[in-house]
Amino acid sequence: MRIDVLTLFPEYFSGLVQASLLGRAIDAGVLHVEIHGLRRWTTDRHRTADDMPYGGGAGMVLKPEPFFAAVDALYGAVDARPRTVVLTPRGHLLDQRRVRDLADSGHLLLLCGRYEGIDERVHDGLAHDEISIGDYVLAGGEVAAAVVIEAVTRLQPGVMGNVHSATDESHADGLLEYPQYTRPASFRDMAVPEILRSGDHARVAAWRAQQALERTRRVRPDLYARWERRGGRNPHEPRPPSDDDIDDARD
Ligand code: ADE
C-alpha cells in the first residue's frame, strides 16, 4: 500500500514512519509512505499557505492553490489520483469499518488541515472523503493522519505477527476486547483469573465472551446497543462448526 501525506508540517512525521510497526511495514515493502510539505507548492517569496477568511471571522484558512498544484504535480491526470482524504473535525467519524475500507484502497492521499480549515474548493475539487478521528478539535490534521496511517497499516497482509490479532480484538466484531493477562500469575497481590489457567478452552472462551459483553455494556452502551440490534452474536463464544470449517478441515 502507498500513502502520501500533504502537510504544512512534514517534520511531524519523520519519527513516526521509522517507529515500530510502520518502520517494519516499510522495511518489508508492504507500505510506502511519502510526506510532502505543502509550502513547496506556494509561489510567493514568503511561502504563504494561508489567508483571511472571506466573510470575516477569526483565524486563517489554508489557500486552495498549493493543494491543487501539489496534486497536479504529483499525479497529473485526474484518473491517476489516489483516494484523497481530508482530515477534519467535520468529517465522518473514523471507526474500524472505515479503517478496513481505507486499508483496501491501495493508494491514499491524506490532506492535513490547519488553522480554521481548508478552502472549501479543496474539499469539493480534490477530496473523496472527509474523516474525523473524534469529536474534539486538534490543532491540525497531522495527528489524525498518523492515526489513519497506523490503523490501515496494521491491516495490511503480513504486518501483524499473528493472523488472528486483527480479527480477535476490540472493534473487529463490534465489541470491546476481553481482559488479557501474561505472566506472572500473581503480581502485587493481583492474581490472574483462575479460569484462564485452567486449560479448559471452552470455559476460557465463555469467560472471555462474557467479559467482552460486560465491558462493552458498561463502557460503550452505544456499541452494545448496535451489537444487539445486529443480532448479538459474540464471536469469542464457541460456535458450532460451519460448512466452511468442514471444508477447511478437508483441505
Ligand atoms: N483536525 C482537527 N481536529 C481533527 C479531528 N478531530 N479529526 C481529524 N482531523 C482534525
Side-chain angles (χ1 to χ4, degrees), residues 27-147:
D27 290 346
V30 173
L31 177 70
H32 182 80
V33 178
E34 294 268 348
I35 309 294
H36 310 279
L38 188 63
R39 286 194 206 280
R40 184 171 153 206
W41 287 281
T42 55
T43 48
D44 65 314
R45 69 188 177 89
H46 300 294
R47 300 216 155 272
T48 311
D50 59 348
D51 207 338
M52 291 181 301
Y54 270 113
M60 302 289 271
V61 175
L62 292 179
K63 294 160 65 62
E65 304 97 309
F67 285 97
F68 279 84
V71 168
D72 286 348
L74 291 170
Y75 314 111
V78 171
D79 56 8
R81 285 181 193 169
R83 178 158 171 199
T84 303
V85 176
V86 178
L87 285 315
T88 166
R90 73 174 209 193
H92 292 287
L93 210 50
L94 186 67
D95 59 13
Q96 195 63 19
R97 187 181 59 82
R98 263 179 219 284
V99 169
R100 276 194 292 269
D101 182 45
L102 293 171
D104 284 340
S105 295
H107 189 180
L108 284 179
L109 170 63
L110 305 179
L111 305 181
C112 301
R114 276 269 146 181
Y115 312 119
E116 293 313 301
I118 305 178
D119 188 286
E120 190 65 22
R121 289 163 291 190
V122 174
H123 296 271
D124 292 342
L126 295 179
H128 301 108
D129 301 290
E130 298 177 344
I131 285 182
S132 164
I133 61 162
D135 292 335
Y136 40 79
V137 182
L138 303 163
E142 284 76 12
V143 172
V147 167

Side-chain angles (χ1 to χ4, degrees), residues 11 15 31 35 55 57 71 80 100-101 109 122 127 134-135 175 182 186 195 210 216 218-219 223 241 245:
E11 63 279 6
L31 177 70
I35 309 294
V71 168
R100 276 194 292 269
D101 182 45
L109 170 63
V122 174
D135 292 335
L175 293 175
T182 186
S186 179
I195 217 165
Q210 182 210 359
T216 308
R218 182 164 38 88
V219 178
L223 291 184
D245 295 330

